[in-house]
Amino acid sequence: MPSFRNGAVEIAYLDEGEGDPIVLVHGFASSKNVNWVYPTWVSDLRKDGRRVIALDNRGHGDSEKLYDSAAYEIAIMASDVIALLDHLGIERADIMGYSLGSRMTAILAREQPQRLRSAIIGGIGIGLIEGGGPGENVAIALEAPSLEDITDPVGRTFRAFADQTRSDRRALAACLRGSRRLMTSEEAAGIGVPVLIAVGTRDEIAGSAAALGKIIPGAEVLDIPNRDHMRAVGDKIYKVGVIDFLSRRQ
């Protein structure tokens, strides 16, 4: 698996196919494989004639594990995506995130619009601005001795997922605590690249996609029917909607 360094931090990635590049940025406690390879996003986007690039976020997958929460400030995490584009010599790309990856993508769309052809924000709606995503209860659950010690239902969900993906739970707890900064409404309203917001209609973590769509100028909203936060990722309607959006953006 290829890797590169952003400063002192080693980041693993994949780079497959040919055509317009799209970078995939996975969610918290996931990885490029769990979020994008196993649900066939990589192969489906390649079949659509695209060069598909996906990284393991710092603290996740095959990338370096860090235990200082300051290393996971959301803008620092987002800088890994730009460093990957620079490493590959790519000037502009479509970027699709999911959950935490979407918060990183939104930062890039706001701060580095010249590097994005479009931004696809999956798995987060108004929670981008109004406190969405896992909180301290999840960090505590990640640090608990075992799943049986956890009573908080959201904490149990994320702990079970972290165990399933064989993640470094101490690194994930540091990531969660360091990456909490939210985007303001004013920052979101300043996003000028084409945006698609895709959220499951049963997603109780993401917050309303329509509410976020009213704030980001010109954003399109894709409802993923009857899917919650964990089950929306590989949904066919999600994939069809993304490929359609990509075919129409300039």
Side-chain angles (χ1 to χ4, degrees):
M1 184 62 62
S3 66
F4 72 102
R5 288 190 173 272
N6 184 16
V9 181
E10 187 169 12
I11 304 293
Y13 70 96
L14 63 80
D15 180 3
E16 299 182 6
E18 297 178 352
D20 287 344
I22 181 168
V23 181
L24 310 180
V25 191
H26 67 75
F28 176 72
S30 190
S31 69
K32 61 185 181 307
N33 287 336
V34 171
N35 220 142
W36 307 120
V37 176
Y38 302 154
T40 72
W41 271 106
V42 172
S43 58
D44 289 343
L45 288 167
R46 285 187 62 185
K47 289 175 186 175
D48 192 51
R50 301 186 184 279
R51 178 182 178 184
V52 185
I53 300 150
L55 74 161
D56 279 333
N57 293 332
R58 54 178 59 202
H60 295 72
D62 294 321
S63 289
E64 189 168 345
K65 309 303 184 293
L66 308 166
Y67 304 104
D68 179 358
S69 60
Y72 295 98
E73 202 280 327
I74 194 71
I76 294 175
M77 294 192 71
S79 76
D80 291 335
V81 180
I82 297 299
L84 176 54
L85 290 177
D86 291 344
H87 173 72
L88 296 174
I90 296 172
E91 184 177 350
R92 295 175 74 220
D94 299 290
I95 300 183
M96 176 164 65
Y98 195 83
S99 197
L100 172 62
S102 286
R103 298 208 296 119
M104 295 162 60
T105 301
I107 290 285
L108 297 177
R110 175 70 176 82
E111 303 296 336
Q112 302 264 8
Q114 73 280 6
R115 304 301 298 270
L116 279 71
R117 295 184 68 173
S118 72
I120 300 165
I121 297 174
I124 197 159
I126 198 63
L128 181 73
I129 295 167
E130 297 178 356
E136 181 64 17
N137 55 323
V138 174
I140 292 170
L142 289 166
E143 294 173 332
S146 70
L147 186 63
E148 288 67 33
D149 295 300
I150 304 163
T151 57
D152 177 79
V154 177
R156 282 183 64 88
T157 297
F158 276 93
R159 171 58 183 268
F161 185 59
D163 288 345
Q164 178 186 351
T165 55
R166 299 180 181 178
S167 298
D168 184 322
R169 293 185 287 104
R170 191 159 66 95
L172 291 184
C175 174
L176 192 154
R177 292 183 172 120
S179 62
R180 284 176 172 164
R181 180 169 66 86
L182 300 175
M183 181 171 275
T184 68
S185 294
E186 292 75 19
E187 287 173 332
I191 294 175
V193 304
V195 172
L196 175 68
I197 304 165
V199 175
T201 60
R202 294 185 179 179
D203 190 334
E204 297 181 354
I205 294 173
S208 168
L212 181 62
K214 291 177 181 177
I215 295 172
I216 300 176
E220 298 183 27
V221 173
L222 172 65
D223 292 324
I224 307 169
N226 301 315
R227 296 295 192 185
D228 62 17
H229 194 70
M230 298 296 186
R231 293 177 58 82
V233 175
D235 188 87
K236 182 178 179 180
I237 291 174
Y238 182 15
K239 292 178 182 175
V240 170
V242 165
I243 289 172
D244 173 66
F245 172 76
L246 290 171
S247 73
R248 292 183 287 105
R249 63 95 182 92
Q250 298 299 316

